[in-house]
Amino acid sequence: MNVVTQTNKKKLVIPHTYTIIFSLIVIMSVLTWIIPSGEFSRKEVNDRMVVVPGTYQSVESNPQGINDVFMAPINGFIDAAEVVGFVLLVGGSFGIVNKTGAIESGIRFAISKLKGKEVFIIPVSMVLFGLGGTTFGMAEETLPFYMILIPLMTSLGYDSLTAVGTIFLGALAGCTASTVNPFSVGIAQALSHITPGSGIEYRSIIFVVLMTIAITFMMTYAKRVKKNPTSSIVYEIDRSSIDEVAYTADTINKITLREVIVLLIFVIGMGTMVWGVLTQGWYIAEIAMVFIGIGVLSGIAGGLKQDVIATSFIDGAKDLALAAIAIALARGIVIIAQNGFIIDTILNASAILLEKLPKFIFINLTMIIEGALTFLIPSSSGLASLTMPVLSPLSDLVGISSQSIVTAYQFGSGLVNMITPTSGVLMGALAIANIPWSKWVKFVAPLSAILIVACMILLTISLYIGF
């Protein structure tokens, strides 16, 4: 009797972000043939064009055909040119800063100084990564640090999961509570016609709350592992690989004067941006100006040659090309819907459905929807470009601040990116540490539950404080 074992099972393949977006363009064009056309009146309030509730009326239909589908991408680039250019310029500027090695050296230096003071290593490191996350969306930039922290943590009696959690959860908590991160909250606010960087006061409170929760969770786990190493989720994995790594303080190069100057330029630049947004009414153009200044001055101060500065800028912009193109393509979805006059019809139907719900249910439902979409579109900038143009005007109809909608987007994106296997950063970090994804989910599940509750509470509070 021959037994045939099927080993090549079909695996679930999640489509590329661009595939998803173009598919949505096609779906949206089909919907313009099905959904009745209609429009709201709009008025300018505080430099924003907002929907006037109760003014919806039917208009002549304008279904979108195949020509419109293939025109949508270039129309998206034209319509989103300012935001796309902003993303590329900021990415290029960070490419220069990263090339100087100052940020990496700064974190290495801080870690090395804590050698022998184990109790401070986790919170200090997490705050440093959290600040990177909240200011410029530190994500892929964290990958080199796993090679430093994993051997350090294991040599101090912790485990590799402590190292991964310290870096990944620190940066993720910062990104989730983005204060001035131009790649998430900045783009979302720009697409919602809100000044990027505004609302920093409450977002700073959110940052403190989420970082405190994440740090407490990691400190509790690390203390348990240090007391009883066999309680580690990855005990057997670490035992098989611990001889492969070694850490000594001598492997950490001393931070140079040039790197210190670059870090000062970065800090001063970020402070200038916050000052300009809060007191001078700066918008995308002025913020881009600050980032370009940070990049150029950092390159000069870091001793980079002119050709290295230029190529670093190109490499940095290249790293964000995916996000920039996603923004433009996603805008094409909205353009199809706008030209077909169905957005306001959808908004009107949604308002009728949601207007009787308590606001706290609506805002938390928005967070859940954003989280669900994050599984398909883990890019925070791509998710913002897809959802903000629709959710922002809907918030006007139900009487909720667009700032709260942006916060719901941040929370949904951050909470799901904590576990989604579609996140290249997460899967890359786990690969470096040789930690199976299933063990990571087991480890982070309690923290996820706590953060979900905390985010729901923070969202609900935002509705009643004039945020």
Side-chain angles (χ1 to χ4, degrees):
M1 179 178 177
N2 294 327
V3 179
V4 179
T5 303
Q6 184 177 354
T7 58
N8 295 325
K9 295 183 178 179
K10 291 184 178 180
K11 295 182 179 180
L12 176 63
V13 178
I14 298 176
H16 191 280
T17 298
Y18 291 171
T19 304
I20 295 171
I21 293 175
F22 189 76
S23 299
L24 290 174
I25 290 176
V26 174
I27 292 171
M28 193 63 69
S29 69
V30 173
L31 291 177
T32 63
W33 293 81
I34 301 172
I35 299 175
S37 299
E39 276 189 314
F40 281 103
S41 296
R42 284 171 167 77
K43 64 180 180 180
E44 185 173 330
V45 177
N46 296 328
D47 297 324
R48 293 182 61 224
M49 296 302 297
V50 300
V51 169
V52 180
T55 60
Y56 175 82
Q57 59 181 355
S58 298
V59 299
E60 184 179 352
S61 64
N62 184 35
Q64 302 292 286
I66 189 168
N67 289 343
D68 299 301
V69 168
F70 288 107
M71 285 287 289
I74 188 62
N75 288 333
F77 268 99
I78 294 171
D79 196 55
E82 186 178 37
V83 178
V84 170
F86 172 74
V87 170
L88 293 175
L89 289 172
V90 172
S93 298
F94 275 116
I96 299 172
V97 176
N98 288 333
K99 185 65 176 178
T100 67
I103 293 178
E104 181 176 350
S105 293
I107 295 178
R108 287 173 182 258
F109 177 77
I111 292 173
S112 68
K113 288 301 180 182
L114 290 170
K115 180 71 174 178
K117 303 175 183 177
E118 293 86 350
V119 69
F120 298 111
I121 290 178
I122 293 173
V124 171
S125 298
M126 290 186 74
V127 168
L128 289 173
F129 288 113
L131 289 173
T134 196
T135 55
F136 65 92
M138 193 176 194
E140 290 83 358
E141 297 86 355
T142 62
L143 292 177
F145 298 105
Y146 293 99
M147 301 304 295
I148 301 171
L149 233 60
I150 290 173
L152 171 62
M153 289 299 185
T154 54
S155 69
L156 294 176
Y158 301 116
D159 63 359
S160 59
L161 204 47
T162 303
V164 173
T166 296
I167 299 172
F168 184 81
L169 295 178
L172 185 75
C175 290
T176 304
S178 292
T179 50
V180 293
N181 177 7
F183 306 121
S184 62
V185 65
I187 291 174
Q189 289 178 324
L191 293 170
S192 301
H193 304 290
I194 304 171
T195 303
S198 58
I200 189 174
E201 298 85 359
Y202 189 58
R203 297 187 197 284
S204 296
I205 295 174
I206 293 174
F207 174 79
V208 172
V209 172
L210 298 191
M211 285 301 304
T212 300
I213 294 173
I215 290 172
T216 301
F217 176 81
M218 283 306 309
M219 291 286 287
T220 302
Y221 175 81
K223 182 179 180 181
R224 184 172 74 245
V225 169
K226 193 172 182 67
K227 183 177 181 180
N228 179 18
T230 59
S231 67
S232 167
I233 297 175
V234 292
Y235 177 69
E236 294 298 331
I237 295 173
D238 282 355
R239 283 190 64 189
S240 64
S241 61
I242 194 168
D243 293 335
E244 300 175 7
V245 294
Y247 172 86
T248 64
D250 295 334
T251 62
I252 301 293
N253 295 327
K254 292 183 178 180
I255 190 168
T256 67
L257 177 60
R258 284 186 180 276
E259 290 168 341
V260 171
I261 294 174
V262 170
L263 290 175
L264 286 174
I265 290 173
F266 180 80
V267 171
I268 293 172
M270 296 303 296
T272 301
M273 185 195 71
V274 173
W275 169 79
V277 167
L278 295 180
T279 66
Q280 304 300 309
W282 284 6
Y283 198 54
I284 289 180
E286 291 83 2
I287 295 174
M289 169 194 70
V290 172
F291 279 112
I292 292 172
I294 290 174
V296 173
L297 294 177
S298 295
I300 295 172
L304 302 181
K305 296 181 179 180
Q306 56 82 24
D307 57 331
V308 176
I309 293 176
T311 55
S312 299
F313 181 87
I314 293 171
D315 290 339
K318 190 188 303 180
D319 290 340
L320 289 179
L322 176 67
I325 295 174
I327 291 171
L329 293 179
R331 184 64 66 90
I333 301 171
V334 179
I335 289 175
I336 287 286
Q338 287 176 338
N339 292 343
F341 300 109
I342 65 172
I343 284 186
D344 286 3
T345 301
I346 296 173
L347 291 177
N348 185 58
S350 300
I352 293 173
L353 177 65
L354 297 172
E355 63 184 355
K356 294 183 180 180
L357 291 177
K359 292 182 179 179
F360 77 91
I361 293 180
F362 171 80
I363 195 65
N364 285 291
L365 182 61
T366 299
M367 181 183 75
I368 293 172
I369 292 172
E370 293 283 6
L373 290 171
T374 300
F375 276 105
L376 298 177
I377 307 176
S379 166
S380 59
S381 54
L383 182 65
S385 62
L386 179 66
T387 60
M388 286 300 102
V390 176
L391 292 176
S392 181
L394 179 58
S395 70
D396 295 328
L397 290 177
V398 298
I400 292 177
S401 166
S402 291
Q403 290 282 18
S404 294
I405 294 293
V406 171
T407 306
Y409 141 78
Q410 292 176 232
F411 288 169
S413 175
L415 291 172
V416 171
N417 271 320
M418 186 185 300
I419 60 171
T420 177
T422 60
S423 169
V425 176
L426 172 60
M427 301 310 288
L430 296 181
I432 292 172
N434 195 29
I435 297 174
W437 178 74
S438 58
K439 288 189 177 292
W440 170 260
V441 173
K442 179 181 179 181
F443 163 71
V444 85
L447 176 62
S448 296
I450 296 170
L451 288 177
I452 288 172
V453 174
C455 288
M456 292 178 70
I457 293 173
L458 290 166
L459 268 180
T460 302
I461 291 174
S462 73
L463 299 176
Y464 303 102
I465 62 173
F467 179 60

